[in-house]
Amino acid sequence: MANPSSYDIGVVGAGLGGLSAAIALRRAGHRVTLYERFAFDGEVGASLSLASNGSRFLAAWGVPVSAARPVVLRSLVRHDWASGAVISTYPLGDYRARFGADYHNFHRIDLHRTLAATALGEDGEGGPPAVLRTWRRATALHPETGTVVFATGETATHDAVICADGIRSALRPALLGAQPDVTPSASCCYRCIISREALAGLGLQDFADASAIEFWGGEGIDKIVLSPCSSGSVVSCYCFYAAAKNDETPDGWDQATTGARLAATFPGLDPRLRLLFAHADDVNMWRLYHHAPYARWTRGVAALLGDAAHPMMPDQSQGACMAVEDAAALGILFGPRYAALGGVREKLLLYERVRLARATRLQEASKRARTDIRERIGWSSASDLPGKLTIEEVCGYDMHAHIEEVVAEYHKERTGRDEVKAVQ
């Protein structure tokens, strides 16, 4: 069904969240321009997982998921820190039947390329292709007019502006009215990758074949998270440790280091992992920060999305899913069903109502899971502690039903009536 209200929408940031927003809004029939501060081939990182609450929207948008070479995860596995013996397993055998989509593990670069092709390509799935403008570093935003200012002095004005410019968003203060509350955590993390061929040479190919997220530690700061991606051709590791161990305190996502230094950080760890680390590639360190939840995400005709809206610890493996959910909510609210609901400002306020509480709950649960693996979905249970986040709450989430509830409540507040005018 065509969208009778077509908008010109600017998306600042062409990472995973920005590309997802471009796809969702394109599918809803809008004209989208993406602005990226550098060249478009700069995506870095190791693996990321998309649970069903993210994967189902890629399918709905017609993203060719297989082109991103995912590994379909079949289990979560916990190991003894020192010996590597399996302590417990959470099987995911009925995951798709329970939650409607697979639990995918991607190499970040593979997924980025596939989302870009979907956002920008002539794929015939619906909506005009998004336009990409590179070397556009946004420095200021006028949220009431939808005007973005770039470092070159150039400006662009849109009906709506989605700020997906990452954890260090330059545009966020214009929406919040102040700088966010950010404090250093006690944790740092190394990330690294190693090829299947290298693992085979070390006698460790089982890690590439496991179709699992595997954990060591997690009861305290130290934790290793290992998983295969890129159709099993690469294994990725995230290795959390105390920031106090650093000789210096560099900042950023991509502070390069060596496999030898990585292995030396964990002297009592499973020897198989220390051997893997010593031969790993692309070893980088970054410092983790706590971001207090934001009271608002929108102002005027502008809204935050992804890490710009809800920076979170990586320990729930839900950062990418939350960005995809943000994008999906925009696509639904700006889609044909709610075309008659109101203009851009009203739709963005509803977007905030739909997304802020859920993303904040994931953000807070991720903070708790940083030092307690029993808070991580899959290992968590509501029977342990009432109110604990569970895999059912996260992966079984029905966004369409949630949006219907929020819209109906909003409509009743405005009119005093239960009906909501929507295109059926």
Side-chain angles (χ1 to χ4, degrees):
M1 181 183 295
N3 191 345
S5 300
S6 180
Y7 294 109
D8 175 30
I9 300 176
V11 177
V12 179
L16 300 176
L19 289 171
S20 295
I23 295 167
L25 291 165
R26 172 188 180 179
R27 294 293 185 245
H30 304 291
R31 303 179 305 283
V32 180
T33 303
L34 282 155
Y35 298 98
E36 174 55 39
R37 60 179 177 165
F38 297 126
F40 195 54
D41 57 357
E43 187 69 15
V44 297
S47 66
L48 64 87
S49 61
L50 277 188
S52 61
N53 56 307
S55 291
R56 69 169 62 98
F57 293 112
L58 300 193
W61 297 333
V63 176
V65 171
S66 62
R69 307 177 65 205
V71 170
V72 176
L73 296 169
R74 304 298 184 190
S75 61
L76 308 179
V77 180
R78 288 190 64 189
H79 296 266
D80 178 76
W81 181 263
S83 70
V86 173
I87 298 171
S88 60
T89 299
Y90 183 92
L92 297 169
D94 61 346
Y95 185 91
R96 184 180 182 88
R98 292 168 67 196
F99 302 123
D102 285 321
Y103 195 159
H104 290 116
N105 209 54
F106 297 94
H107 195 296
R108 180 178 291 269
I109 294 170
D110 293 337
L111 182 58
H112 187 262
R113 288 172 178 163
T114 303
L115 292 177
T118 306
L120 304 172
E122 296 277 1
D123 63 8
E125 289 282 348
V131 175
L132 175 65
R133 307 289 188 202
T134 56
W135 299 105
R136 301 298 201 281
R137 182 169 65 87
T139 57
L141 170 69
H142 302 287
E144 294 299 327
T145 62
T147 300
V148 183
V149 182
F150 300 96
T152 59
E154 179 185 2
T155 64
T157 300
H158 296 276
D159 296 328
V161 176
I162 307 305
C163 304
D165 54 338
I167 198 167
R168 297 180 178 177
S169 170
L171 305 187
R172 183 167 49 208
L175 279 75
L176 300 183
Q179 291 292 341
D181 180 8
V182 182
T183 57
S185 78
S187 300
C188 284
C189 183
Y190 288 114
R191 59 177 170 85
C192 66
I193 60 174
I194 187 167
S195 69
R196 170 188 287 273
E197 290 77 14
L199 286 169
L202 299 171
L204 301 175
Q205 187 170 323
D206 286 352
F207 286 140
D209 296 333
S211 298
I213 301 181
E214 305 190 56
F215 302 84
W216 288 253
E219 297 176 352
I221 287 176
D222 287 354
K223 182 173 70 176
I224 311 299
V225 184
L226 177 152
S227 57
C229 57
S230 290
S231 299
S233 65
V234 173
V235 163
S236 165
C237 296
Y238 290 91
C239 312
F240 300 89
Y241 66 99
K245 292 183 179 180
N246 284 356
D247 296 329
E248 52 192 30
T249 56
D251 202 355
W253 164 254
D254 55 353
Q255 300 293 321
T257 187
T258 66
R261 182 176 179 182
L262 169 55
T265 303
F266 304 100
L269 180 62
D270 180 349
R272 296 175 303 163
L273 289 184
R274 298 185 69 234
L275 178 62
L276 183 159
F277 296 159
H279 293 82
D281 297 317
D282 191 25
V283 184
N284 287 267
M285 182 275 288
W286 86 99
R287 180 70 181 268
L288 302 178
Y289 287 80
H290 292 304
H291 294 249
Y294 309 143
R296 63 185 302 164
W297 290 6
T298 65
R299 187 185 294 272
V301 296
L304 301 172
L305 179 143
D307 283 345
H310 43 72
M312 63 182 66
M313 289 291 175
D315 297 86
Q316 293 288 0
S317 301
Q318 277 286 315
C321 279
M322 289 297 101
V324 172
E325 282 193 10
D326 294 345
L330 287 173
I332 293 167
L333 287 164
F334 278 78
R337 174 170 172 75
Y338 297 107
L341 184 63
V344 167
R345 292 168 188 260
E346 190 168 24
K347 292 178 191 297
L348 291 181
L349 287 172
L350 286 166
Y351 160 73
E352 180 182 282
R353 282 198 180 195
V354 169
R355 295 298 305 142
L356 192 149
R358 176 168 164 85
T360 297
R361 179 155 163 76
L362 265 294
Q363 190 178 22
E364 293 172 342
S366 296
K367 182 178 179 180
R368 295 194 302 272
R370 172 72 292 278
T371 54
D372 186 354
I373 196 170
R374 292 167 298 182
E375 293 281 355
R376 203 266 188 204
I377 58 170
W379 302 121
S380 64
S381 169
S383 63
D384 295 341
L385 184 68
K388 182 178 283 191
L389 191 73
T390 66
I391 195 169
E392 290 78 14
E393 177 184 348
V394 175
C395 299
Y397 174 59
D398 186 339
M399 179 178 286
H400 287 277
H402 185 197
I403 288 177
E404 285 185 6
E405 292 173 4
V406 170
V407 169
E409 179 182 278
Y410 180 77
H411 182 79
K412 189 172 183 179
E413 289 173 6
R414 297 290 300 272
T415 67
R417 300 192 305 273
D418 289 334
E419 301 84 9
V420 58
K421 187 177 181 181
V423 177
Q424 300 295 331

